[in-house]
Amino acid sequence: MIVIERFAYNDGNVFRFYDKKKDCIFYDIDCGCVFRNRQLNAKLACIRLEDEKIFYI
């Protein structure tokens, strides 16, 4: 579930958003980590920018 203008939550996965006005890509790598006490699948991600490969820790 994604709540617009509050936070992006993508069920424990990286949230990726392209902003046309700014011509940039926004990545949310938190993946619900801030809610780890309430969300079972919450985790933290990192992205290798060269090929956009995602790793979860």
Side-chain angles (χ1 to χ4, degrees):
M1 176 166 119
I2 297 171
V3 179
I4 297 176
E5 297 180 3
R6 290 210 170 160
F7 63 90
Y9 180 67
N10 197 18
D11 198 31
N13 297 303
V14 171
F15 176 73
R16 181 181 187 271
F17 173 74
Y18 176 70
D19 188 329
K20 290 180 184 180
K21 290 181 183 177
K22 296 180 182 178
D23 191 29
C24 70
I25 299 172
F26 165 77
Y27 291 98
D28 182 4
I29 61 170
D30 182 279
C31 305
C33 186
V34 69
F35 301 115
R36 65 184 170 270
N37 295 332
R38 295 184 282 169
Q39 298 291 336
L40 297 176
N41 58 348
K43 52 196 166 209
L44 183 63
C46 58
I47 300 174
R48 184 171 55 203
L49 296 177
E50 291 82 10
D51 60 0
E52 296 185 1
K53 183 162 174 65
I54 298 170
F55 301 90
Y56 293 97
I57 54 173

